Amino acid sequence: MSDTHAVRPPLYYRLATVMLAPIYRQMVIKKSKNKPTLKRELNERFAKHYQPPPVGRLGVIWCHAVSLGELNTAYPLLLKLLNHGYGLWVTSTTQTGFERAAKLFDNEIRLGRVAHSFVPVDTPSVIDTFLTHVKPIAALFIETELWANTLYACRKHGIKTLMINARLTQKSYLGYAKIAKVSQTMMANLDGIIAQDASSAKRFGQLGRVYIVQSDSLKWASVSTLSDAQLAAVNILTRQLNQACKTYIWVMASSHDGEECIALKAHQQFLQKFPNALLILVPRHPERFEVVHQMCLQGGFLTARRSMGETISPKTQIYLADTMGELLSWYQVAQIAVVGGSFVPIGGHNPIEPASLATPVIMGAYDDNCKDLVEALKQVGALVQLPDEPNISEQLFKSLLQASLSQWTGKSGAVLVQQKQRALQEQFLFVLRMI
């Protein structure tokens, strides 16, 4: 089924994507040459070979989530679609997103209800090959990433396209506005957008004509109860902490380059007040685990590594959580959660997970990815946001000290998260109406 109302992207855009594809291929090879998935990644990005498509009683939905964060956010919605009778093809841009999809949907992949791959490059021939293979009835794009050739091809193939949990910062809006003709075609070929805040809805509307509704962010519903493995990790760590007499525990979660230095400086001061304090340090990206470990050692901290099975002793000052998929466990055992990506210009990671566990939250000034979430948690007293200052490590230390002395709790945050769970049902019903 084709759609004569498909609006073709400008010629210069179509030519540019074709010309840049070989360069992009070399970038993938350079970045991934030591990874066992390289052959599969190249095959899938350039439509040379794919896994068999999944089976769904109501058809297949293609969902694109750029990386791990977007996939975690979309996961509750995808589960509802699976349970409703749809098959899923999940694509990711990053290696971490690809690996997360394999882990989240392990059982469904083996049953043939879900397939996953790296996202195809945005060239007309590759996209057409991909869509012909997958045969989706709808495509869901999570939060931000849109591609003009892909949307045009979907409209040609009669595939409904929806942007879910969409957000558009002022910086991203200005970038899209610079390529106005391309942006206008993307909006024209989209069937609908669920914006997670009023500002994003307004900016999308300024880019072109498209049907837009507004709903609370899916991140409010992206929390889950701890798995058996996570509970086991909590129990083991809790026993170690009790035996080591660690009473002041804080976690620096999803940290990026530049944030570990801030955390280590703050922890050095915190240890002077509370010698039995412990920092659980959780770097965002696996490729930085070893670098961060060396930083801890060079700072003179007695450090235990999760990946090595090292236990926490009374002398341990830092527990390096250099594993994946256990963040909820660390949020559970910590008294304070410092959420990373917010002390450097990344945009901040999801504060909902610690808030849902009644763990109070501290974040930095960079919150473009989660501004509404941060404001809502601040209003109920579950989150403190620090200004962007040269002495930010001093500010973090003072906040940790105040939180420890005042026995600050995050119960109001857990209540708010529970109240916001309706976002999942709202977005699910919107998808069903549109497809």
Side-chain angles (χ1 to χ4, degrees):
M1 171 179 167
S2 62
D3 192 327
T4 56
H5 299 293
V7 180
R8 200 171 193 180
L11 178 61
Y12 72 83
Y13 178 86
R14 287 179 276 130
L15 291 175
T17 56
V18 172
M19 292 173 64
L20 291 173
I23 298 174
Y24 181 69
R25 181 184 176 87
Q26 292 305 310
M27 290 172 59
V28 170
I29 293 172
K30 183 177 180 181
K31 188 175 181 180
S32 307
K33 60 184 178 182
N34 295 322
K35 294 177 181 174
T37 57
L38 176 59
K39 183 177 179 180
R40 178 171 174 177
E41 182 173 355
L42 291 173
N43 282 337
E44 293 175 347
R45 289 196 189 276
F46 296 92
K48 299 300 182 183
H49 177 75
Y50 289 110
Q51 305 297 310
V55 176
R57 176 172 53 84
L58 300 177
V60 174
I61 294 176
W62 168 29
C63 172
H64 176 58
V66 177
S67 190
L68 180 147
E70 290 84 0
L71 184 56
N72 285 341
T73 296
Y75 182 63
L77 176 62
L78 299 185
L79 273 186
K80 285 182 77 71
L81 292 169
L82 267 176
N83 293 335
H84 198 70
Y86 294 101
L88 292 180
W89 187 292
V90 180
T91 58
S92 305
T93 302
T94 67
Q95 182 74 31
T96 54
F98 178 82
E99 292 169 354
R100 183 62 172 159
K103 189 170 184 178
L104 280 176
F105 296 106
D106 176 54
N107 189 54
E108 289 83 2
I109 290 171
R110 283 189 276 107
L111 292 173
R113 300 176 61 211
V114 175
H116 76 120
S117 71
F118 289 94
V119 69
V121 296
D122 189 47
T123 62
S125 62
V126 167
I127 293 299
D128 279 335
T129 301
F130 171 78
L131 295 177
T132 299
H133 176 78
V134 177
K135 295 181 173 60
I137 62 170
L140 308 182
F141 302 94
I142 310 301
E143 292 198 3
T144 54
E145 190 164 289
L146 291 174
W147 297 97
N149 288 329
T150 297
L151 291 172
Y152 172 65
C154 285
R155 178 57 66 93
K156 279 198 312 174
H157 285 260
I159 299 165
K160 294 289 186 179
T161 53
L162 304 174
M163 218 178 166
I164 303 301
N165 208 54
R167 61 181 175 83
L168 189 64
T169 65
Q170 181 64 16
K171 180 180 179 181
S172 295
Y173 165 75
L174 293 174
Y176 280 119
K178 288 178 181 177
I179 51 171
K181 289 187 181 298
V182 176
S183 298
Q184 287 167 7
T185 69
M186 290 195 295
M187 295 301 106
N189 289 325
L190 262 174
D191 289 290
I193 295 176
I194 308 177
Q196 59 178 268
D197 57 73
S199 298
S200 289
K202 181 179 179 181
R203 292 177 187 128
F204 278 119
Q206 290 171 339
L207 289 178
R209 296 185 64 179
V210 61
Y211 177 51
I212 304 171
V213 298
Q214 190 180 333
S215 173
D216 282 327
S217 173
L218 275 180
K219 287 183 178 178
W220 291 106
S222 64
V223 296
S224 60
T225 56
L226 275 73
S227 66
D228 290 343
Q230 289 169 330
L231 283 171
V234 168
N235 292 334
I236 292 170
L237 193 62
T238 300
R239 284 198 298 272
Q240 291 183 25
L241 293 170
N242 290 337
Q243 291 169 3
C245 299
K246 297 294 182 184
T247 52
Y248 296 96
I249 305 148
W250 66 286
V251 59
M252 179 69 177
S254 297
S255 61
H256 290 257
D257 188 16
E259 293 185 313
E260 290 90 8
C261 289
I262 295 169
L264 294 180
K265 288 179 182 178
H267 192 52
Q268 189 70 63
Q269 291 180 276
F270 198 55
L271 285 169
Q272 293 173 14
K273 290 287 185 181
F274 304 107
N276 62 342
L278 180 76
L279 163 60
I280 302 175
L281 186 55
V282 192
R284 176 74 173 181
H285 297 115
E287 59 268 26
R288 298 191 60 249
F289 287 163
E290 184 57 38
V291 172
V292 175
H293 181 233
Q294 292 303 316
M295 288 175 60
C296 295
L297 298 181
Q298 290 166 10
F301 296 97
L302 292 168
T303 305
R305 294 187 72 167
R306 169 69 175 168
S307 64
M308 300 296 182
E310 296 171 351
T311 59
I312 296 169
S313 72
K315 294 183 178 180
T316 304
Q317 297 168 317
I318 294 177
Y319 189 62
L320 180 58
D322 53 349
T323 53
M324 301 295 288
E326 295 189 301
L327 188 54
L328 280 180
S329 302
W330 317 139
Y331 282 146
Q332 179 72 61
V333 299
Q335 284 133 10
I336 305 290
V338 182
V339 178
S342 61
F343 295 87
V344 291
I346 299 296
H349 294 300
N350 188 359
I352 301 304
E353 289 180 329
S356 71
L357 296 170
T359 304
V361 180
I362 297 173
M363 292 187 72
Y366 298 97
D367 64 357
D368 283 351
N369 294 344
C370 49
K371 194 175 291 291
D372 281 9
L373 310 181
V374 169
E375 287 302 318
L377 289 169
K378 282 166 63 176
Q379 287 177 14
V380 298
L383 184 149
V384 166
Q385 189 171 27
L386 304 182
D388 182 24
E389 295 183 356
N391 64 339
I392 187 62
S393 59
E394 176 74 22
Q395 298 295 327
L396 178 56
F397 160 67
K398 289 179 179 178
S399 293
L400 291 168
L401 184 60
Q402 182 182 8
S404 300
L405 294 175
S406 66
Q407 298 298 305
W408 181 28
T409 71
K411 290 181 180 178
S412 59
V415 172
L416 180 64
V417 172
Q418 185 63 37
Q419 292 171 347
K420 294 281 192 178
Q421 296 294 299
R422 66 179 184 273
L424 174 58
Q425 186 67 9
E426 289 175 356
Q427 297 209 30
F428 173 66
L429 292 176
F430 178 80
V431 171
L432 292 187
R433 286 198 307 271
M434 295 299 291
I435 65 176

